[in-house]
Amino acid sequence: MLSLGTSEVRTVVAIGAHPDDIEIAAGGLLLTLAAAVPGVRVHYVLCTGTANRQAEARAAAAACLPGAELSFDLHDLPDGRLPGHWAQTKQILQSAAATVTADLVLVPSPGDAHQDHRLIGELALSAFRDQLVLHYEIPKWDGDLGRPNLYVPLTDEMARRKVEVLNDAFPSQKSHDWWDDEVFFGLMRVRGMESRTRYAEAFTCAKATLHF
């Protein structure tokens, strides 16, 4: 099994269709990265969100990335309607690529069953042609979880902290039936089993370059 370190990851662009996407999918990675790389720069991009939801996202980013250099590009396109705003969504991604030269880009999967997630995943590879792009996964009732090919092991502490951040930062989402600690821990445990560790988050990398 190939192992990759975080020593060269100094700048990250994290893109979500909605507030909470990034933290549900990659909150553990962000917590681990902040601990491993003090002062890491992370540029948050969200395509949808009310003012209240955007405030939740800012709080979650700060909790997941203590000591990081954070910047935000938050938009209010209609939730669930991004394909109808294809040009604006593409411009958001292209602007992020032009603003930040990232070592790592986090985006949804192009195979995600949610139309907003799927569009961003499809557009990301053309917007970020020269960066390492990792496609994250979000559990949902559609049952669209696939076969990831890259894992980020998480300590028990990081897994617990991730779930704490989700519950503390996103009170508006707790009424949903899918918002459940067992869902969050369960997926991390399954991905941990697959990667021979206790907990993990999983990603798909469509293309990567190995430098010597």
Side-chain angles (χ1 to χ4, degrees):
M1 182 181 295
L2 175 65
S3 296
L4 300 175
T6 59
S7 60
E8 294 185 7
V9 178
R10 300 293 174 182
T11 305
V12 179
V13 172
I15 302 175
H18 320 100
D20 75 27
D21 286 352
I22 295 168
E23 292 79 14
I24 289 174
L29 184 156
L30 296 179
L31 285 161
T32 302
L33 186 63
V37 186
V40 63
R41 181 185 181 193
V42 180
H43 185 58
Y44 253 67
V45 181
L46 296 177
C47 294
T48 74
T50 63
N52 178 61
R53 296 280 280 123
Q54 290 178 358
E56 290 181 334
R58 287 180 182 272
C64 281
L65 291 157
E69 179 184 340
L70 289 172
S71 57
F72 296 89
D73 183 25
L74 308 181
H75 300 266
D76 58 358
L77 294 176
D79 188 343
R81 299 290 187 271
L82 289 188
H85 298 266
W86 187 94
Q88 296 98 314
T89 305
K90 183 175 178 66
Q91 184 57 52
I92 289 170
L93 268 65
Q94 289 182 323
S95 295
T99 300
V100 180
T101 302
D103 302 312
L104 175 63
V105 180
L106 303 174
V107 295
S109 168
D112 195 296
H114 192 294
Q115 64 273 15
D116 291 352
H117 302 167
R118 184 168 61 248
L119 178 61
I120 293 173
E122 291 170 349
L123 293 175
L125 289 177
S126 61
F128 298 94
R129 295 181 183 273
D130 300 317
Q131 287 78 38
L132 176 62
V133 176
L134 298 185
H135 296 281
Y136 56 68
E137 59 180 0
I138 301 175
K140 63 181 73 65
W141 64 267
D142 304 86
D144 61 356
L145 297 177
R147 297 182 64 184
N149 56 19
L150 189 147
Y151 296 83
V152 176
L154 303 176
T155 65
D156 289 10
E157 179 185 359
M158 289 301 187
R160 287 193 297 268
R161 179 58 182 152
K162 170 183 173 175
V163 176
E164 287 175 359
V165 170
L166 289 172
N167 286 321
D168 291 345
F170 296 105
S172 68
Q173 302 305 291
K174 289 185 178 181
S175 62
H176 295 299
D177 58 4
W178 51 264
W179 192 277
D180 186 283
D181 289 5
E182 291 186 0
V183 171
F184 300 139
F185 278 115
L187 181 56
M188 288 189 288
R189 180 67 190 103
V190 168
R191 296 317 191 193
M193 177 273 296
E194 293 174 350
S195 57
R196 308 302 295 272
T197 187
R198 179 66 180 171
Y199 294 112
E201 289 175 339
F203 303 83
T204 301
C205 180
K207 183 186 293 186
T209 301
L210 184 62
H211 293 282
F212 294 93

